[in-house]
Amino acid sequence: MIVSRRTLGALALGAFAANLGGPAANAEDKVIRIGYQKYGNAILLKAKGTLEPKLAAIGYKVTWAEFPFGPPLLEAINAGAIDFGHTGEAPPIFAQAGGSSIVYVANEPPAPEGEAILVPKDSPIKSVADLKGKKIAYAKGSNSNYFAVKALEQAGIKYGEYEPVHLAPADARAAFETGRVDAWAIWDPFYASAQAGTEARVLTDGKNIVSNHQFYLASKSYVGPNAKAIDVVLAELRAVDDWVKADPKAAAAQLSAPIGIPAPILEAALKRQSYGIKPIDDAVIAEQQSIADKFFALGLLPKAITVKEIAWRAGT
């Protein structure tokens, strides 16, 4: 049940090579290599082009690499292929347990309504409690992994009393549409897209179950010598945050083409997000520790971890 670092490493390095088309930058170059996913502020920042001149002013350049979801992105940081990226709550926990050299540098506020457990519109399943013994799709080691565990536990269903089907979002959508799984735990924008495209019903979203934080993470060896570059990136991400919050329609229009999802669907997803990047604090660390302890208790982590050990704060 433990995430395979070999598999994720192959995905991460393959994605890195495919997106950058060559080897990592030379050690003497002042560069920050950013990993991003096909949703969120990082892809918007890349599209807007405002980061490059700000970094150039302090003697840095930036390169970008796209990843399908969080775990392979973090494996790429650990492998030295990128320096900085963003994921949800669960991937850094699995990465830390696997010995990855990552650190938390910032987080977005909770967005519990940005993920949900879906069933087909004509499914006989009416509540989360009806999922006992059913097949539930989610990406292993992802936010939806933890969300599914907690939602079913809250409904009185223990881990092991349902069948997890570990699939990346695109494969999970196909399995969901063809009836190979009974339910799908998923995050936006895939959640919004499934609602619009299949008329999927929501059994529950994350409200009163999970926080659904988004985290910005970096290589442990990178943050100290390159704190100024990290600060610039976070400042520009905050500016994107402010723009999306103020004008989700414009942000959705800009995201539509690179993601391949119609703007109205993306706008619905963006309105379920929370905005305002914050430094890592004790309360967020405690929430992450609770998630880590749950995964360890279920036998999904190879060892217990202490989250605060990899929380980086400016000046540390």
Side-chain angles (χ1 to χ4, degrees):
M1 295 299 295
I2 296 167
V3 173
S4 167
R5 295 183 67 233
R6 180 179 298 174
T7 300
L8 295 183
L11 281 169
L13 295 177
F16 175 73
N19 281 277
L20 298 187
N26 295 326
E28 64 267 26
D29 293 337
K30 294 182 76 174
V31 62
I32 182 165
R33 298 166 297 167
I34 299 176
Y36 67 96
Q37 301 178 52
K38 257 193 174 177
Y39 184 64
N41 288 355
I43 190 172
L44 284 167
L45 180 58
K46 179 179 183 291
K48 288 177 77 68
T50 58
L51 178 61
E52 283 77 1
K54 296 292 179 66
L55 284 172
I58 62 168
Y60 279 79
K61 62 182 180 179
V62 60
T63 59
W64 303 86
E66 182 183 317
F67 294 86
F69 58 112
L73 186 154
L74 293 186
E75 186 63 24
I77 293 179
N78 187 53
I82 59 172
D83 307 305
F84 179 91
H86 64 100
T87 77
E89 295 163 324
I93 287 168
F94 282 89
Q96 183 182 359
S100 180
S101 58
I102 58 167
V103 290
Y104 296 90
V105 298
N107 63 272
E108 301 275 3
E113 295 177 1
E115 58 184 348
I117 296 178
L118 307 176
V119 293
K121 63 178 181 179
D122 56 355
S123 171
I125 296 169
K126 302 302 181 185
S127 70
V128 177
D130 295 334
L131 291 175
K132 187 172 184 178
K134 304 299 185 183
K135 294 181 178 180
I136 306 170
Y138 52 76
K140 191 175 185 179
S142 70
N143 265 26
S144 59
N145 189 162
Y146 179 66
F147 170 46
V149 167
K150 289 296 291 183
L152 272 73
E153 182 181 79
Q154 196 174 96
I157 302 173
K158 297 177 182 178
Y159 189 78
E161 293 183 331
Y162 57 93
E163 183 179 344
V165 180
H166 299 135
L167 295 170
D171 295 328
R173 171 73 180 259
F176 182 76
E177 290 190 22
T178 57
R180 289 185 285 122
V181 296
D182 300 295
W184 182 20
I186 189 58
W187 61 89
D188 275 324
F190 307 104
Y191 162 24
S193 180
Q195 277 187 300
T198 71
E199 299 181 46
R201 284 192 292 108
V202 176
L203 290 185
T204 185
D205 61 21
K207 193 173 181 180
N208 299 320
I209 301 173
V210 294
S211 291
N212 191 29
H213 284 289
Q214 291 293 306
F215 288 98
Y216 297 96
L217 301 108
S219 164
K220 185 177 182 180
S221 62
Y222 185 87
V223 289
N226 300 281
K228 287 184 178 180
I230 296 288
D231 286 345
V232 168
V233 173
L234 290 175
E236 290 304 298
L237 285 167
R238 286 188 186 98
V240 172
D241 245 13
D242 292 341
W243 172 62
V244 177
K245 184 178 180 179
D247 196 351
K249 184 180 289 292
Q254 187 162 327
L255 272 173
S256 181
I259 294 180
I261 296 175
I265 295 174
L266 289 173
E267 185 178 355
L270 290 171
K271 288 179 177 178
R272 287 196 284 245
Q273 300 307 299
S274 296
Y275 302 97
I277 298 172
K278 300 178 179 180
I280 297 296
D281 62 24
D282 291 340
V284 172
I285 291 171
E287 284 195 62
Q288 284 295 95
Q289 187 64 56
S290 177
I291 296 171
D293 293 344
K294 169 58 70 174
F295 277 132
F296 180 67
L298 294 174
L300 300 178
L301 289 184
K303 64 179 182 181
I305 61 170
T306 303
V307 172
K308 67 180 180 181
E309 292 177 351
I310 65 164
W312 180 83
R313 309 181 199 208
T316 62

